Amino acid sequence: MKIVSSVAELRDQLRGQLRTAFVPTMGNLHEGHLSLMRLARKHGDPVVASIFVNRLQFGPNEDFDKYPRTFAADIEKLEKEGVYVLFAPTEKDLYPEPQEFRVQPPNDLGNTLEGEFRPGFFTGVTTVVLKLFSCVQPSVAVFGKKDYQQLMIIRNMARQFALPTQIIAAETFRAEDGLALSSRNGYLSTDERSEAPVLYRELTAVAETVRAGNLDVTSLEQAAMQRLAERGWNPDYISIRKRIDLQAPTAGDLAQNEALVVLAAAKLGRTRLIDNLEI
């Protein structure tokens, strides 16, 4: 595996490649990330991964400085997966001057759910993803469904900018007890890790109730949040939305069996977990 940090080096390595498959990450890799590498290989060759902790998507009180960085272990894992190039730029490599041009997602999608609780988050995400796409120029790029809203925003961005990159969605990779794998799971204490799968169990209960015909969306959301709160969680949202645009379903949407997804974000101790489940 070749490890490069500058955009010029990256382009030298990829010159002439027409089927590059790309998986952008922030490092601290786990089995969920590695499953994205395997899916990427099914859709293109060579596979390129990036590791870059993107300051632009962290709020002033978020964990940029504490975000886990495990570069040596990450290299070892990527080599075992047969990744061809690891692009690991420094901030100076990727932002040699202040990144004054930004990508602004539409308000109805970018300022709801995660966007409401993390203002500016999706501007930071879309800006760095567009820049990474410009550097790598991939034929396909793989993103996990665990970050459901992020996946939708990036997919819409790629379509509206007519980017020559197909966005591939990967199913959420879960531990045996149902917890969605995430780099931030490492922040959980032993007791919190035992409690953490409750979030997925709540999503499953909501989804099964909707499938059984209970379409009282607001009551289902509030009851699930209350159950989490009673267990010591601090929920930001549990929300049933339309898959097509992540807007709240109307009575007409529900009557017409609109495809839905239930999304959640909640703090367990000091760790904020997100998850979702298509209904």
Side-chain angles (χ1 to χ4, degrees):
M1 183 176 71
K2 299 175 178 63
I3 303 172
V4 299
S5 59
S6 76
V7 177
E9 288 177 298
L10 176 71
R11 288 175 173 164
D12 282 343
Q13 288 294 337
L14 297 179
R15 186 167 288 112
Q17 299 287 358
L18 301 177
R19 297 182 59 248
T20 300
F22 179 43
V23 183
T25 83
M26 292 206 301
N28 192 29
L29 304 182
H30 50 66
E31 190 61 29
H33 293 112
L34 303 182
S35 71
L36 303 184
M37 308 297 164
R38 295 167 199 144
L39 182 58
R41 186 173 293 104
K42 294 180 179 179
H43 292 273
D45 182 66
V47 175
V48 176
S50 67
I51 293 177
F52 181 69
V53 183
N54 177 43
R55 189 185 297 271
L56 296 186
Q57 69 195 65
F58 286 79
N61 297 314
E62 294 185 334
D63 58 348
F64 175 80
D65 290 325
K66 294 182 180 178
Y67 193 85
R69 292 160 171 85
T70 55
F71 193 61
D74 293 344
I75 290 172
E76 194 172 316
K77 291 172 182 176
L78 293 175
E79 285 179 333
K80 288 180 180 177
E81 293 300 329
V83 169
Y84 175 63
V85 172
L86 169 60
F87 181 43
T90 65
E91 286 191 280
K92 192 68 174 175
D93 288 317
L94 204 58
Y95 302 130
E97 58 184 282
Q99 187 66 38
E100 295 169 338
F101 287 87
R102 306 284 180 100
V103 179
Q104 181 66 49
N107 287 337
D108 59 350
L109 186 55
N111 290 341
T112 188
L113 300 169
E114 284 300 280
E116 178 182 348
F117 288 91
R118 302 183 67 186
F121 171 68
F122 287 119
T123 296
V125 168
T126 49
T127 299
V128 76
V129 169
L130 184 62
K131 192 155 193 178
L132 287 169
F133 281 2
S134 176
C135 296
V136 179
Q137 300 184 13
S139 173
V140 301
V142 179
F143 292 84
K145 281 188 178 182
K146 185 183 81 72
D147 298 291
Y148 202 91
Q149 187 176 7
Q150 171 181 282
L151 169 65
M152 175 170 286
I153 287 173
I154 290 170
R155 182 174 273 159
N156 290 358
M157 177 186 75
R159 185 185 67 251
Q160 289 197 10
F161 279 116
L163 302 180
T165 301
Q166 179 187 3
I167 307 301
I168 305 291
E171 295 298 327
T172 301
F173 198 98
R174 299 185 181 278
E176 288 186 7
D177 58 9
L179 178 64
L181 295 197
S182 168
S183 296
R184 287 186 170 92
N185 291 353
Y187 296 155
L188 297 168
S189 69
T190 301
D191 288 344
E192 289 168 347
R193 176 60 185 82
S194 298
E195 172 68 15
V198 169
L199 185 63
Y200 179 59
R201 294 206 290 271
E202 284 295 339
L203 291 178
T204 301
V206 169
E208 289 176 348
T209 304
V210 172
R211 292 185 191 118
N214 183 343
L215 301 179
D216 188 348
V217 167
T218 301
S219 294
L220 291 175
E221 294 169 344
Q222 291 176 346
M225 290 182 68
Q226 180 63 31
R227 288 192 295 270
L228 282 180
E230 289 171 354
R231 297 181 67 99
W233 293 68
N234 182 15
D236 285 341
Y237 60 83
I238 293 182
S239 189
I240 298 168
R241 299 295 178 100
K242 295 186 291 183
R243 288 189 212 174
I244 191 170
D245 58 9
L246 292 189
Q247 299 306 297
T250 64
D253 293 326
L254 296 172
Q256 295 173 20
N257 295 318
E258 178 76 36
L260 303 173
V261 59
V262 55
L263 308 103
K267 283 184 180 177
L268 182 57
R270 288 193 274 184
T271 305
R272 189 172 184 274
L273 302 177
I274 67 170
D275 203 350
N276 65 82
L277 189 61
E278 292 179 332
I279 300 174

